[in-house]
Structure formats: C-alpha cells, structure tokens
Amino acid sequence: MELLTYSVPCLFGLEGLVGDELRRMDLKNVRVENGRVLFDGDLAAMARANLRLRMGERVLLRLGTFPAGTFEELFQGVLALPLEEFIPKNGAFPVKGHTLNSRLHSVPDCQAIVKKAAAKRLGEKYRLSWLPEDRETYQLQFAIMKDQAEIFLDTSGPGLHKRGWRAVGNDAPLRETLAAAMVTLARYRGRDTFWDPFCGSGTIVIEAALAALNRAPGLGRRFAAEQWRSVPQDLWQAERRAAMDREFRGDYRILGRDNDPESLAIARSNAKKAGVAHLIDFAEADATRAPLPEGGGVLVCNPPYGERMLEQRSAQRLYQQLGRRLADAAGWKQYIISSEPEFERYFGKPAVKKRKLYNGMILCNLYMYF
C-alpha cells in the first residue's frame, strides 16, 4: 500500500512535543504545523501512533484536500475522493467539521453537502440507491480554512486523552495529554523522586508512572479503526505486542498528595484501573504546611486556579503560601501550571523559564524553577 497522510491535532503549545513523539516512532515525513502535526505512513503506522501517542489528541487519516470556495466545489471535491477504499457498503459515515476564514461558513450546510457527496460516491461504487449504514462507524471530518478543504477519517474514535482508566474525576480534571506534556517538559524519566502536591484525581502522577514504565498509554482502550474491515486485526496485535516489548521494569518513587480525602480516593481508583497503583504513594497532605519530601527531585503540579473573582483571590493567596513553603526547597525542580497572569508575583520569584500551554480553552503558563 502506498503511504497515507495522517494529521494529529494537539493542544496549542504541544506541536513540537508531538512531532518529537512521532519521530521517535520512526514515522515518516513528520511536519509540525499550528495546532497539529502531519506524518506519512501505512496502516501499521496509524495503529502505532494511536497506541503510543501521549500528547496528541487523535489520529486522522487525510483522504484529500482541494479548493472549496463554493458548495459546488465542496461537493465535487468530496465526490472525487476514493471513499470506497475504506468505507464498506453498509458502513456508517456520519459527518462533522469546522470552517474558519472561509466563504463557506455554515457548518450544518457543509455537513449536508459532504454527506450528500459521500453518499453519491459510495452509492455509485456499490450500485446502491440507498446505503443502510448499519455497521461500524467511519467518522468523516472536514476542515475548511481560507477556502481550502481537507477531508479526514477519524481512526481514533474517543480522543486519545481518554486512556481508558479515568473512572471518575474531580471538579477540574487536567486533560491527560496536557499532564503528559508537563511530565515530558520536566524531563522525568523515572530516576528522580516525582511529587505532585495537588494530585487531585491523580492525572499527573499516573502519566508520570506511565512515562517511567515507557508504557503505551493506548494499551488499555480500543480505537475506531480496530472495527474497520480495511485494517487487518493482526496488524493491531503486532503493534500492541511491539509496544509491550518496549516497557521498562523498575521501582519508582512517585508521590501523590492532596488535602481532600475524596479526591485521593478517586486518584487511587484511577491509578488501580491504569495498572500503576503499586508505583504511586498517595497520602493526605496540605501542600502549604506539610514537610517537604526528603531527597529532592521533580515537582509537577496543577494547583487550583479560579476563573471567578472570589476563586481567583483564593488561588492567589494559595500561590503566596506555596511560594513561601517552597522557598527553601533545595534539590527540587519545580514545574507549576497556572492561568494566573501574575503568578510569579504571588509566588514570590520569577520563573527560570515559562511556556504557554492551553488547558482546554484556558490559556496557561507552565512556570519552571530549577
């Protein structure tokens, strides 16, 4: 099979990290763009990326790209795509997408045009006047930007941040892909003590444990393309075995602390479901008062931050208290994410480095002290 082109959307600020991930998988022609990373590969490369990506949001197979300044151009562009190479005659093919800075700005209208063109193409190829769509799903996606359309098939299904272990979360869970990025930026490899003093439902420490083990985060879940008849099942089995062969074995010191017993119970449950509970030491503790863990290491955390005024003032006081508590934290490299623009002032010292990241739609900075 000739090489296919795939697109990996990611949170803004993570593009370079996702590109590095894909290169380490020996995938071809990796290209970093705003909000996404492209690469070329066969179906095995698609399975590998789905299983092993820590920081990408999903893996989209690009079927084609073409000018689409009018509905007729959009219709004809979709009609020319080889959809039948992937979608069988009874496959379901729902459509979703978005437009930006384009003459075609109505998403519902574009959805209807893409659906109509896809149905016409498949109906003609299968010689059917009506397509049943009663089997597995082949999610079509379109992106129209500056009158240029791209059409994709979503190979992932639920986003890759859904690892399969989060049973429940607390009020403000951090997305797993962002937590993995924080662990990566902290250069944690399992050799140092890892400490999250605001562990909440355990996202950061669980991602740290997975990174220390070099465990593929997608091993505990399934993907949309596993149901596709065009993708052999033995291909998925081979990629899963290869991913498991890359795992490490070892003892790691990973500390999850929080002052909320209910959050800690959720964290323990999530860690157990992720298969890493034996690697994480959870305990109740107040980050602003409890003694610092001995020996130094890497601190990575997502302290509470408020979007409403009273919550924001409470968060600012917390940053002040945390800054005083960590003022003498010799031997601890600190990586703290916050949406507070004056974080450094409240914390009491400027960061050595900081990096813009997005927690969902919230602009944050990762403040780094080392």
Side-chain angles (χ1 to χ4, degrees), residues 37-59:
V37 182
L38 302 174
F39 71 94
D40 297 336
D42 55 13
L43 294 176
M46 174 271 295
R48 186 181 313 160
N50 271 303
L51 286 163
R52 290 168 53 180
L53 273 170
R54 299 186 187 282
M55 294 171 277
E57 292 300 314
R58 59 184 63 247
V59 180

Side-chain angles (χ1 to χ4, degrees), residues 207-262:
E207 289 298 322
L210 293 174
L213 290 170
N214 200 36
R215 178 171 295 167
L219 284 175
R221 56 161 288 177
R222 295 291 175 178
F223 304 93
E226 288 191 74
Q227 303 299 316
W228 296 359
R229 278 166 271 176
S230 54
V231 183
Q233 281 298 308
D234 58 0
L235 178 152
W236 287 98
Q237 294 165 6
E239 288 297 331
R240 286 181 185 276
R241 285 195 299 269
M244 289 187 285
D245 288 344
R246 298 177 70 256
E247 286 191 17
F248 302 145
R249 299 288 185 272
D251 294 321
Y252 309 103
R253 189 173 184 231
I254 302 173
L255 311 177
R257 301 288 185 262
D258 204 279
N259 64 356
D260 178 11
E262 292 184 5

Side-chain angles (χ1 to χ4, degrees), residues 151-308:
I151 307 297
F152 304 94
L153 276 175
D154 181 0
T155 74
S156 300
L160 296 182
H161 68 280
K162 296 184 178 180
R163 315 295 207 205
W165 54 257
R166 186 190 291 278
V168 287
N170 60 2
D171 290 339
L174 192 71
R175 182 167 285 202
E176 289 84 344
T177 45
L178 180 56
M182 293 166 62
V183 172
T184 299
L185 289 168
R187 300 179 182 273
Y188 176 67
R189 300 291 185 275
R191 291 183 290 271
D192 303 310
T193 297
F194 187 96
W195 173 34
D196 180 358
F198 300 94
C199 73
S201 59
T203 305
I204 293 176
V205 287
I206 291 172
E207 289 298 322
L210 293 174
L213 290 170
N214 200 36
R215 178 171 295 167
L219 284 175
R221 56 161 288 177
R222 295 291 175 178
F223 304 93
E226 288 191 74
Q227 303 299 316
W228 296 359
R229 278 166 271 176
S230 54
V231 183
Q233 281 298 308
D234 58 0
L235 178 152
W236 287 98
Q237 294 165 6
E239 288 297 331
R240 286 181 185 276
R241 285 195 299 269
M244 289 187 285
D245 288 344
R246 298 177 70 256
E247 286 191 17
F248 302 145
R249 299 288 185 272
D251 294 321
Y252 309 103
R253 189 173 184 231
I254 302 173
L255 311 177
R257 301 288 185 262
D258 204 279
N259 64 356
D260 178 11
E262 292 184 5
S263 290
L264 285 170
I266 293 171
R268 290 188 178 98
S269 174
N270 287 338
K272 183 177 181 180
K273 193 170 183 182
V276 295
H278 62 293
L279 300 176
I280 305 172
D281 175 16
F282 289 108
E284 186 175 345
D286 185 331
T288 65
R289 298 179 181 178
L292 301 177
E294 296 180 356
V298 179
L299 179 156
V300 181
C301 68
N302 173 37
Y305 45 88
E307 293 304 304
R308 294 186 291 271

